[in-house]
């Protein structure tokens, strides 16, 4: 009887912890004024005389984070960037999914390829996986870790590999993997996304050479939801299209095997083709576009 009681208490404690985690995750939704800050801190090039570090970046934006899905073990949030006063000024930005005790990962390798990885239930007990997707809902990076709630702080920290960030992928070709140490911390004013990143040169065997390091600090300051109404309206009109896109990607991921994507098809990017679709595009149209980019 004592063993059964302890089992029940442990289950209740785990359930309470899971709910506290979900509260922290969902608190990232809403309307935010965002400051994006990045700077290279150290570099280790073979030829230091010719090496050109990335410029320090300080940018501001208004962003709406939509709660797309909320189930006991999964939270889906879509970021929408507001760049101007009109509907054409809404940019479907990155998406983050949070899965409780998830055992399947697509880890970035290099050159638009991701490795499928299966974890044991023991390895992920009590943890949340953050899956980050690109603007076209193709994969970007994923990692699993526990949320920490201690000394009045609420944060999640993980290190994982990722493609070059959008701010660099058209400007830099001297490295091909960004090893990201991500910290999401909930604050009284909103939340922080802190990064300590390694810029790596990875060869076909997976051997890495460290080229440079950078610090990132994205500051999300909560403002009235009414300031992001234009993004909310845009999502209401376009969410059915992006549900079809997510549905197709879910089928691709369900294959449980390594994934490689074409950079361009017919000289066009995946996001360019998907963004050109009308809101009422069919599932067949969406499927055909994504299929054309997935290497079989």
């Amino acid at each position: 009887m004592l063993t059964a009681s302890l089992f029940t208490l442990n289950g209740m404690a785990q359930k309470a912890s899971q709910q506290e985690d979900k509260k922290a995750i969902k608190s990232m939704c809403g309307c935010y004024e965002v400051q994006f800050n990045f700077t290279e801190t150290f570099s280790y090039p073979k030829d230091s005389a010719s090496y050109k570090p990335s410029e320090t970046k300080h940018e501001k934006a208004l962003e709406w984070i939509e709660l797309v899905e909320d189930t006991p073990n999964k939270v889906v949030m879509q970021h929408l960037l507001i760049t101007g006063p009109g509907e054409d000024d809404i940019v479907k930005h990155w998406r983050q999914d949070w899965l409780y005790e998830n055992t399947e990962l697509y880890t970035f390798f290099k050159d638009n390829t991701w490795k499928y990885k299966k974890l044991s239930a023991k390895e992920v007990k009590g943890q949340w996986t953050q899956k980050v997707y690109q603007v076209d809902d193709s994969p970007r990076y994923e990692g699993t870790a526990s949320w920490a709630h201690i000394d009045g702080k609420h944060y999640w920290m993980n290190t994982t590999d990722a493609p070059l960030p959008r701010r660099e992928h058209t400007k830099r070709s001297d490295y091909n993997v960004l090893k990201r140490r991500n910290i999401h911390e909930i604050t009284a004013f909103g939340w922080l996304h802190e990064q300590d990143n390694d810029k790596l040169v990875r060869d076909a065997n997976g051997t890495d050479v460290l080229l440079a390091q950078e610090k990132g600090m994205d500051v999300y300051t909560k403002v009235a939801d009414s300031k992001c109404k234009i993004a909310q309206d845009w999502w209401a009109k376009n969410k059915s299209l992006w549900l079809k896109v997510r549905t197709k990607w879910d089928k691709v991921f369900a294959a449980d095997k390594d994934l490689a994507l074409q950079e361009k098809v017919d000289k066009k990017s995946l996001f360019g083709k998907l963004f050109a679709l009308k809101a009422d595009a069919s599932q067949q149209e969406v499927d055909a576009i994504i299929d054309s980019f997935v290497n079989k």
Side-chain angles (χ1 to χ4, degrees):
M1 185 176 295
L2 180 59
T3 301
S5 298
L6 289 174
F7 182 80
T8 301
L9 288 172
N10 287 337
M12 292 173 62
Q14 184 174 345
K15 189 68 175 179
S17 177
Q18 181 182 355
Q19 291 305 312
E20 188 174 20
D21 296 344
K22 276 194 71 176
K23 181 180 178 181
I25 293 167
K26 289 168 62 177
S27 72
M28 288 188 278
C29 295
C31 187
Y32 291 89
E33 291 177 348
V34 190
Q35 295 177 331
F36 301 101
N37 306 291
F38 291 92
T39 189
E40 274 199 18
T41 52
F42 305 103
S43 59
Y44 315 92
K46 293 181 179 179
D47 183 1
S48 58
S50 62
Y51 178 74
K52 293 183 179 180
S54 298
E55 294 183 2
T56 295
K57 174 181 178 180
H58 297 292
E59 293 185 359
K60 294 182 179 180
L62 188 64
E63 189 154 78
W64 173 251
I65 304 173
E66 174 81 17
L67 180 61
V68 175
E69 184 178 338
D70 179 14
T71 57
N73 295 323
K74 185 177 182 181
V75 177
V76 177
M77 299 183 291
Q78 176 64 58
H79 291 237
L80 299 170
L81 200 62
I82 302 172
T83 62
E87 284 194 5
D88 291 340
D89 299 314
I90 303 301
V91 177
K92 181 184 175 294
H93 209 191
W94 60 294
R95 186 181 112 229
Q96 51 174 326
D97 291 7
W98 291 85
L99 281 69
Y100 187 64
E101 297 186 341
N102 166 67
T103 59
E104 297 179 309
L105 294 176
Y106 277 89
T107 59
F108 182 71
F109 179 57
K110 72 183 192 77
D111 302 332
N112 247 17
T113 61
W114 289 259
K115 301 289 188 180
Y116 174 76
K117 184 178 182 180
K118 180 74 173 179
L119 302 173
S120 69
K122 183 179 180 180
E123 287 178 283
V124 299
K125 185 173 178 58
Q127 294 187 353
W128 287 83
T129 294
Q130 184 201 39
K131 293 176 175 276
V132 172
Y133 298 89
Q134 313 208 60
V135 297
D136 49 28
D137 286 330
S138 61
R140 190 157 183 78
Y141 61 87
E142 305 180 0
T144 180
S146 299
W147 274 87
H149 309 282
I150 187 170
D151 296 336
K153 295 181 178 180
H154 308 273
Y155 63 91
W156 179 93
M157 181 172 64
N158 175 260
T159 300
T160 192
D161 294 340
L164 270 63
R166 288 288 175 186
R167 65 182 182 277
E168 300 226 317
H169 85 286
T170 59
K171 300 177 181 179
R172 299 282 296 266
S173 58
D174 54 344
Y175 74 100
N176 59 354
V177 176
L178 189 72
K179 182 176 285 294
R180 305 172 59 117
R181 177 177 176 266
N182 295 297
I183 304 173
H184 290 261
E185 181 179 353
I186 309 305
T187 67
F189 58 80
W191 57 285
L192 300 173
H193 183 192
E194 183 177 355
Q195 301 173 45
D196 292 291
N197 300 328
D198 291 344
K199 298 180 178 182
L200 305 176
V201 182
R202 177 170 294 168
D203 66 18
N205 297 319
T207 302
D208 294 336
V209 175
L210 178 61
L211 178 66
Q213 295 172 298
E214 73 171 4
K215 182 70 179 182
M217 181 65 79
D218 297 339
V219 182
Y220 289 75
T221 301
K222 191 79 166 66
V223 296
D225 286 356
S226 58
K227 287 191 174 184
C228 290
K229 186 176 185 305
I230 188 172
Q232 298 167 45
D233 293 343
W234 184 94
W235 183 250
K237 293 179 181 178
N238 292 277
K239 63 182 181 181
S240 61
L241 169 63
W242 292 102
L243 173 59
K244 293 169 187 172
V245 174
R246 295 196 306 277
T247 297
K248 174 57 181 177
W249 277 120
D250 285 346
K251 292 180 179 178
V252 173
F253 300 143
D256 294 348
K257 63 181 182 180
D258 295 350
L259 175 66
L261 300 177
Q262 297 285 342
E263 186 71 29
K264 291 188 176 182
V265 172
D266 300 326
K267 297 181 179 181
K268 293 183 179 180
S269 64
L270 175 56
F271 73 83
K273 289 197 172 192
L274 291 177
F275 282 15
L277 289 174
K278 295 182 180 180
D280 61 353
S282 69
Q283 185 70 62
Q284 290 73 21
E285 289 177 274
V286 169
D287 292 357
I289 291 173
I290 295 175
D291 279 336
S292 70
F293 281 83
V294 177
N295 288 342
K296 305 300 183 182

